[in-house]
């Protein structure tokens, strides 16, 4: 179609777009290049950071509050209240001195499904772990025992890495004298989560130290397995321990046997190494078979001694 | 110098008509192929020369119809590449003008392609390039081992994080004679796993269960599992998960990778609270007050990364025909504790399923085991055929359903009065049928169906 006249121009023409400086420098081809490089880098970053499926679980590090928990299991049915209170006082005073905590349990507190009462120490240790999840170590010390030298701290005296490496006995038969299972010779203090001693009869469970951690839980759970409790080991939990230590290398590899007098001196020398002044603790072993009264009498000479040594410091 | 050339002005060609360039000073062709004799012969039309030489009284063509070859030979041969074979002349026969022979036929292939490219537009070129790239990529990815290595590397596919242990050579010996069926089962099962492993870049460890003889002195039959897992973890130091598979299993969907199917979303698939499906009626969670909060929680610490053992449950409890174990200190402990002489001595009479019962016992009594165990719905990794666990009829939690394309079938218990080989064969064929390629699908689902509708006959294509 043709019109006679060309159409009228609009009277307010659109203003020209100002020429953008930026657009000028970024030409289309360059933009393309930038986009491609960007994409490439994003791909590389994606591939590298895609994560390797399952990140390792962060190992929970306990803060060390309290550093050590002293665990003792009492037999209130058998022993007099005064005697037990003396022992509790001994533990509490020692714990207060270094900022430790104590954990006391009684035989009968836990349902052992018919197993001997001495099994209580294992479950009590597990309970202490639950109650003090931030502790570094738990020291189980038998009822008939006294801390004699309050100056010694567990974490310095025994559990210091470098020191423990020197203290631990390597290539030592687990059950003396002639067990073919021996402690590993390549371990250092870092590998150790469980420290105990031997007396003349074998592994002694009257005084031992367990480090807080996954392994500690595993070890205590395994030791407390109902299948061991129902097996009628002659010496209950002590023989169960000897059994698992000899049959399960994951436990043997975390264990250190140290000299008996470091944590487990005996009041008399016929069952093991005898107490000498300066040792951290003394255990009354012989009196247990004789009865509660014998222990209370024997304890008196040590009670004097630890009271003076606690008073001095 | 006899010259006979096609009349086209091909570079270096000269002229077809003799005499045109006889004294033209051009030097092409410089010499005759047959040496000096031909240069002495006088100039001659090629066709007449041929007639003279080969004719010997016979007509040069036949009018009588003869066989197929003589009829069509010319057509066929004219499309064949030409070589100069005549001994008397350096060049082919004289070309008749206007006969329509392509002059380009004498141009070398490269030149021809160059010409084609020259005539092609830029857009077309790019399209062609893309097509070639695509072809190249397809070849690289599907016809070379590249894709295998791609899937294996830890930061791309992660295939080397998985090891499959297949328990082979069960039975055998004097007591259970291994017949043709047993061999066939083993062959099919192994081939199935091998293919799967090759596809996804995993590792396959076929273990010989008959080595249990080695344990004869202390007789802990069927705990060899523990030792094999331990050995595999040592042998493949990069493996993170070990997948134990019994012999009577068949991977129905080889196109599922373990990463996609399970492990990328482990937290969605796995259930840690056994109350969700609890055929053994295990009291869960533990309530003893001496235990820590994680042990008393129904889901452990709730973090999926703490799951180290993933197993399915069937109608009667744990099933160790197909389960996963992850490399961890916890796993070392489990593998160490799993077999214990004191437990064995007390329980071996009632432990019908040996290591499976031992694990159930550990799970029931040991808090540290519970905290790190997760369960998978059975049909994710361990569907049963209808013959197993069928006391209560078909159970959607247990039995294979081809509509859902279950990943794996475990013909558990088929050696007790069922036909192992029959089941294996059926599932193998079903798996092939379900995973037909597009061409087979087209043939069987489209062409054959149409053919059936048209003629009423079933055909196998």
């Amino acid at each position: 179609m043709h019109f006679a006249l060309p159409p009228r121009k609009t009277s307010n023409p659109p203003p020209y777009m100002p020429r953008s400086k930026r657009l000028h420098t970024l030409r289309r081809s360059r933009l393309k290049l930038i986009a491609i490089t960007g994409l490439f880098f994003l791909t590389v970053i994606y591939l590298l950071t895609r994560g390797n499926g399952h990140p390792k679980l962060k190992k929970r590090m306990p803060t060390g509050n309290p550093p050590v928990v002293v665990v003792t299991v009492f037999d209130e049915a058998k022993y007099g209240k005064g005697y037990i209170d003396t022992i509790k006082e001994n533990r509490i005073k020692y714990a207060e001195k270094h900022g430790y905590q104590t954990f006391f349990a009684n035989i009968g507190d836990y349902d052992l499904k018919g197993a001997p009462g001495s099994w209580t120490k294992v479950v009590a240790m597990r309970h202490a772990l639950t109650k003090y999840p931030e502790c570094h170590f738990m020291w189980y010390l038998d009822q008939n025992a006294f801390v004699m030298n309050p100056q010694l701290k567990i974490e310095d005296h025994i559990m210091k890495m470098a020191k423990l490496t020197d203290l631990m006995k390597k290539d030592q038969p687990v059950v003396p004298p002639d067990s073919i299972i021996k402690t590993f010779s390549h371990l250092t203090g870092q590998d150790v989560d469980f420290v105990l001693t031997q007396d003349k009869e074998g592994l002694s469970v009257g005084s031992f130290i367990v480090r807080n951690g996954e392994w500690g839980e595993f070890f205590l759970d395994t030791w407390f397995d109902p299948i061991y409790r129902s097996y009628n080991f002659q010496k209950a939990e002590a023989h169960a321990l000897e059994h698992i230590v000899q049959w399960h290398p994951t436990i043997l590899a975390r264990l250190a046997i140290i000299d008996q007098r470091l944590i487990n001196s005996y009041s008399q020398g016929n069952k093991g190494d005898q107490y000498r002044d300066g040792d951290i603790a003394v255990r009354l072993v012989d009196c247990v078979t004789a009865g509660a009264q014998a222990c209370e009498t024997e304890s008196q000479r040590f009670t004097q001694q630890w009271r003076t040594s606690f008073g001095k410091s | 110098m006899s010259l006979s050339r096609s009349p086209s002005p091909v570079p270096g060609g000269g002229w077809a008509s003799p005499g045109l360039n006889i004294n033209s000073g051009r030097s092409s062709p410089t010499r005759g192929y047959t040496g000096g004799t031909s240069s002495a012969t006088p100039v001659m039309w090629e066709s007449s020369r041929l007639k003279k030489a080969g004719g010997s009284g016979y007509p040069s063509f036949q009018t009588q119809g003869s066989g197929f070859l003589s009829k069509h030979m010319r057509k066929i041969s004219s499309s064949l590449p030409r070589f100069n074979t005549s001994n008397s002349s350096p060049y082919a026969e004289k070309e008749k003008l206007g006969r329509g022979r392509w002059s380009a036929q004498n141009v070398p292939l490269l030149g021809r392609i160059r010409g084609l490219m020259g005539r092609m537009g830029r857009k077309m070129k790019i399209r062609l390039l893309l097509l070639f790239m695509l072809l190249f990529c397809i070849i690289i990815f599907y016809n070379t081992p590249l894709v295998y290595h791609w899937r294996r590397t830890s930061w791309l596919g992660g295939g080397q994080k998985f090891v499959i242990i297949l328990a082979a050579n069960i039975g055998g010996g004097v007591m259970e004679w291994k017949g043709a069926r047993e061999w066939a089962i083993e062959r099919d099962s192994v081939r199935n796993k091998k293919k799967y492993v090759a596809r996804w870049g995993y590792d396959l460890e076929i273990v010989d269960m008959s080595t249990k003889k080695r344990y004869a002195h202390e007789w802990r039959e069927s705990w060899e599992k523990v030792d094999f897992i331990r050995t595999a973890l040592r042998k493949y130091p990069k493996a993170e998960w070990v997948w134990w598979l019994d012999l009577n299993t068949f991977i129905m969907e080889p196109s599922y990778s373990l990463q996609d199917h399970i492990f990328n979303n482990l937290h969605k698939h796995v259930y840690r609270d056994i109350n969700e499906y609890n055929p053994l009626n295990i009291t869960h969670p533990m309530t003893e007050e001496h235990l820590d909060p994680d042990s008393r929680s129904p889901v452990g610490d709730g973090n999926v990364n703490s799951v180290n053992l993933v197993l399915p449950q069937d109608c009667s409890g744990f099933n160790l025909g197909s389960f996963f174990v992850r490399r961890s200190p916890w796993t070392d402990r489990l593998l160490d504790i799993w077999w214990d002489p004191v437990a064995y001595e007390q329980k071996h009479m009632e432990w019908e399923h040996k290591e499976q019962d031992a694990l159930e016992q550990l799970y029931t009594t040991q808090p540290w085991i519970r905290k790190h165990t997760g369960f998978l719905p059975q049909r994710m990794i361990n569907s049963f055929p209808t013959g197993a666990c069928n006391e209560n009829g078909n159970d959607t939690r247990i039995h294979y359903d081809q509509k859902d394309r279950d990943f794996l079938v475990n013909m558990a218990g088929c050696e007790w009065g069922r036909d192992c080989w029959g089941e294996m064969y059926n599932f193998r064929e079903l798996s092939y049928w379900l995973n037909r390629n597009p061409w087979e699908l087209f043939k069987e689902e489209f062409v054959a169906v149409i053919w059936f509708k048209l003629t009423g006959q079933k055909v196998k294509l």
Side-chain angles (χ1 to χ4, degrees):
Chain A
M1 264 225 244
H2 293 274
F3 296 103
L5 290 169
R8 202 182 249 278
K9 271 186 184 169
T10 167
S11 29
N12 39 352
Y16 285 108
M17 292 282 282
R19 191 169 166 184
S20 161
K21 265 257 155 68
R22 244 183 109 254
L23 260 178
H24 179 67
T25 49
L26 289 176
R27 281 179 197 286
R28 225 182 124 203
S29 60
R30 202 170 294 173
L31 266 174
K32 231 188 239 174
L33 190 75
I34 288 170
I36 288 173
T37 354
L39 206 67
F40 174 75
F41 274 108
L42 280 180
T43 317
V44 168
I45 288 168
Y46 165 74
L47 283 176
L48 290 181
T49 58
R50 210 163 36 135
N52 292 340
H54 311 283
K56 288 271 175 295
L57 259 194
K58 230 186 239 169
K59 216 175 161 189
R60 194 179 65 86
M61 294 303 280
T63 57
N65 175 40
V68 176
V69 179
V70 184
V71 181
T72 303
V73 173
F74 295 101
D75 190 352
E76 281 175 353
K78 213 169 149 195
Y79 292 87
K81 194 170 181 301
Y83 176 62
I84 284 174
D85 284 347
T86 320
I87 299 165
K88 279 186 178 167
E89 188 196 343
N90 174 261
R91 303 284 191 278
I92 289 170
K93 276 195 167 162
Y94 174 65
E96 274 173 356
K97 192 168 162 52
H98 298 300
Y100 296 168
Q101 291 287 346
T102 54
F103 183 89
F104 298 137
N106 266 303
I107 289 177
D109 281 2
Y110 305 98
D111 179 17
L112 300 175
K113 308 248 165 67
S118 58
W119 277 99
T120 309
K121 62 167 74 81
V122 184
V123 63
M125 286 290 269
R126 186 74 165 85
H127 197 174
L129 202 57
T130 303
K131 200 170 167 195
Y132 300 103
E134 297 298 335
C135 72
H136 278 147
F137 307 106
M138 294 178 300
W139 179 24
Y140 176 79
L141 187 58
D142 223 6
Q143 172 194 266
N144 298 315
F146 296 100
V147 178
M148 298 302 286
N149 188 348
Q151 264 76 27
L152 297 177
K153 293 168 84 172
I154 286 293
E155 66 267 37
D156 293 341
H157 179 53
I158 316 257
M159 295 307 289
K160 217 180 219 171
M161 300 287 179
K163 192 158 189 206
L164 189 55
T165 311
D166 295 334
L167 290 177
M168 58 201 280
K169 295 179 177 177
K170 289 161 186 170
D171 211 21
Q172 167 88 358
V174 173
V175 182
D178 49 3
S179 162
I180 54 158
I181 307 291
K182 296 175 178 173
T183 53
F184 292 113
S185 51
H186 63 271
L187 299 183
T188 66
Q190 270 179 325
D191 305 312
V192 172
D193 284 331
F194 177 42
V195 172
L196 81 170
T197 61
Q198 288 171 328
D199 59 16
K200 281 179 182 165
E201 288 170 351
L203 293 178
S204 166
V205 291
S207 173
F208 58 88
I209 300 163
V210 176
R211 191 198 302 273
N212 180 9
E214 282 252 300
W215 187 88
E217 285 180 17
F218 148 72
F219 164 64
L220 292 170
D221 283 346
T222 303
W223 191 3
F224 197 60
D225 195 331
I227 220 147
Y228 299 139
R229 279 182 276 156
S230 63
Y231 188 60
N232 283 326
F233 281 111
Q234 192 194 353
K235 279 168 129 192
E237 84 288 352
H239 277 174
L241 180 67
E242 281 180 4
H243 164 79
I244 58 175
V245 158
Q246 292 185 78
W247 275 94
H248 299 302
T250 47
I251 289 174
L252 188 61
R254 291 286 180 169
L255 157 154
I257 293 173
I258 59 173
D259 263 330
Q260 196 191 334
R261 277 185 42 226
L262 284 166
I263 51 171
N264 194 21
S265 313
Y266 285 174
S267 60
Q268 280 158 37
N270 51 350
K271 280 189 179 164
D273 292 351
Q274 195 174 8
Y275 170 79
R276 277 183 237 159
D277 285 340
D279 289 353
I280 190 171
V282 63
R283 272 184 68 207
L284 321 175
V285 183
D286 301 272
C287 67
V288 176
T289 41
Q293 197 53 48
C295 286
E296 281 168 42
T297 3
E298 196 186 356
S299 74
Q300 266 151 24
R301 68 177 169 123
F302 291 109
T303 309
Q304 290 292 325
Q305 213 174 325
W306 71 257
R307 278 191 204 282
T308 48
S309 69
F310 271 75
K312 261 190 289 180
S313 53
Chain B
M1 185 160 270
S2 85
L3 264 188
S4 62
R5 277 299 295 189
S6 71
S8 58
V10 172
W15 297 101
S17 314
L20 262 183
N21 54 354
I22 216 159
N23 289 316
S24 66
R26 295 190 80 124
S27 56
S28 168
T30 42
R31 55 190 148 87
Y33 291 108
T34 46
T37 48
S38 65
S39 62
T41 51
V43 172
M44 191 189 267
W45 291 103
E46 192 68 14
S47 48
S48 65
R49 195 190 60 78
L50 263 181
K51 242 181 239 170
K52 225 189 211 170
S56 67
Y58 292 105
S60 62
F61 62 93
Q62 261 179 310
T63 45
Q64 247 76 37
S66 46
F68 169 83
L69 260 187
S70 47
K71 248 196 225 164
H72 299 279
M73 194 56 176
R74 217 181 125 72
K75 265 192 213 159
I76 293 169
S77 64
S78 65
S79 66
L80 291 173
R82 289 154 170 272
F83 300 99
N84 248 325
T85 47
S86 77
N87 52 358
S88 55
S89 156
Y91 290 114
E93 70 175 45
K94 171 79 180 79
E95 197 64 47
K96 297 268 186 328
L97 259 173
R99 276 281 282 286
R101 175 133 322 145
W102 284 75
S103 60
Q105 244 173 19
N106 292 335
V107 182
L109 183 71
L110 208 71
R112 245 186 289 169
I113 289 174
R114 202 174 291 160
L116 210 67
M117 293 295 282
R119 264 173 274 134
M120 214 185 297
R122 191 162 158 251
K123 231 176 202 173
M124 193 64 196
K125 268 185 203 162
I126 289 175
R127 275 179 204 158
L128 213 67
L129 190 75
L130 281 177
L131 190 76
F132 274 119
M133 291 276 277
L134 196 73
L135 266 172
F136 182 71
C137 286
I138 288 173
I139 288 170
I140 284 269
F141 279 105
Y142 293 98
N143 295 9
T144 65
L146 186 73
V147 67
Y148 176 78
H149 292 295
W150 172 284
R151 282 172 172 171
R152 261 188 82 72
T153 42
S154 56
W155 56 286
L156 292 170
Q160 59 187 1
K161 285 189 194 158
F162 298 91
V163 175
I164 300 178
I165 304 184
L166 179 65
N169 207 10
I170 47 172
V174 184
M175 298 301 288
E176 298 158 60
W177 198 257
K178 232 166 139 178
R181 284 167 164 256
E182 283 72 29
W183 284 111
I185 289 168
E186 193 162 317
R187 182 200 63 204
D188 274 10
S189 178
V190 168
R191 188 194 284 151
N192 173 247
K193 312 302 182 299
K194 272 189 177 159
K195 268 188 177 169
Y196 183 70
V197 158
R199 177 168 187 162
W200 291 106
Y202 307 142
D203 285 305
L204 176 65
E205 181 77 3
I206 301 169
V207 296
D208 183 358
M209 297 301 276
S210 66
T211 48
K212 68 184 168 198
K213 288 175 204 112
R214 250 196 274 153
Y215 296 92
H217 63 288
E218 59 193 38
W219 197 249
R220 42 176 176 160
E221 181 191 0
S222 99
W223 266 271
E224 308 91 348
K225 229 171 236 187
V226 172
D227 296 284
F228 287 134
I229 293 173
R230 228 186 255 145
T231 319
L233 284 171
R234 257 206 308 275
K235 186 170 167 187
Y236 303 97
K238 285 183 180 163
E240 192 186 347
W241 285 98
V242 169
W243 184 17
W244 179 275
L245 279 179
D246 278 355
L247 184 66
N248 292 327
T249 54
F250 202 87
I251 296 171
M252 297 297 284
E253 301 294 333
S255 59
Y256 295 6
S257 75
L258 290 178
Q259 292 97 317
D260 262 357
H261 188 53
I262 301 168
F263 288 101
N264 287 350
N265 284 309
L266 190 60
H267 59 282
K268 276 190 200 149
H269 301 310
V270 99
Y271 63 96
R272 298 173 80 165
D273 186 354
I274 198 175
N275 293 318
E276 206 159 299
Y277 179 62
N278 195 354
L280 290 171
N281 277 322
I282 293 170
T283 317
H284 187 79
M286 292 184 157
T287 50
E288 286 92 337
E289 57 159 350
H290 67 264
L291 294 172
D292 53 302
D294 280 358
S295 300
R296 280 192 279 172
S297 132
V299 292
D301 64 357
N303 183 350
V304 75
N305 291 317
S306 68
V307 173
N308 291 324
L309 173 69
V310 177
L311 72 164
Q313 294 189 92
D314 61 22
C315 58
S316 59
F318 294 9
N319 187 295
L320 292 183
S322 160
F323 68 97
F324 292 93
V325 181
R326 177 205 227 137
R327 179 195 299 278
S328 69
W330 181 91
T331 305
D332 293 340
R333 289 169 205 153
L334 170 69
L335 297 178
D336 186 21
I337 294 295
W338 205 330
W339 192 80
D340 184 273
V342 168
Y344 189 72
E345 188 183 331
Q346 290 182 73
K347 296 282 190 179
H348 70 276
M349 293 304 279
E350 53 188 277
W351 281 353
E352 199 182 319
H353 299 290
K354 300 162 201 295
E355 88 289 356
Q356 201 166 292
D357 290 320
L359 184 67
E360 285 170 3
Q361 157 90 13
L362 282 173
Y363 183 87
T364 315
T365 59
Q366 300 284 313
W368 67 278
I369 297 271
R370 276 195 205 200
K371 271 204 282 191
H372 297 276
T373 305
F375 299 95
L376 274 178
Q378 189 184 352
R379 278 179 51 204
M380 275 203 84
I381 55 166
N382 201 22
S383 305
F384 275 4
T386 41
C389 267
N390 55 358
E391 286 84 13
N392 303 318
N394 217 321
D395 190 332
T396 49
R397 272 193 291 212
I398 294 173
H399 292 110
Y400 178 80
D401 187 346
Q402 72 180 64
K403 270 189 234 113
D404 294 340
R405 308 293 287 263
D406 288 358
F407 179 43
L408 181 130
V409 169
N410 179 3
M411 286 138 258
C414 65
E415 61 269 39
W416 315 112
R418 277 155 50 206
D419 178 10
C420 277
W421 166 237
E423 287 182 10
M424 176 71 92
Y425 178 81
N426 283 336
F427 279 114
R428 190 189 78 191
E429 293 303 309
L430 180 61
S431 172
Y432 289 161
W433 186 79
L434 288 171
N435 291 293
R436 285 169 295 175
N437 62 31
W439 171 240
E440 287 166 329
L441 274 176
F442 171 74
K443 280 196 300 185
E444 291 167 20
E445 296 293 310
F446 187 71
V447 179
V449 169
I450 288 179
W451 186 256
F452 177 70
K453 287 209 170 131
L454 288 178
T455 64
Q457 281 176 321
K458 283 195 173 168
V459 283
K460 199 160 189 272
L461 293 170

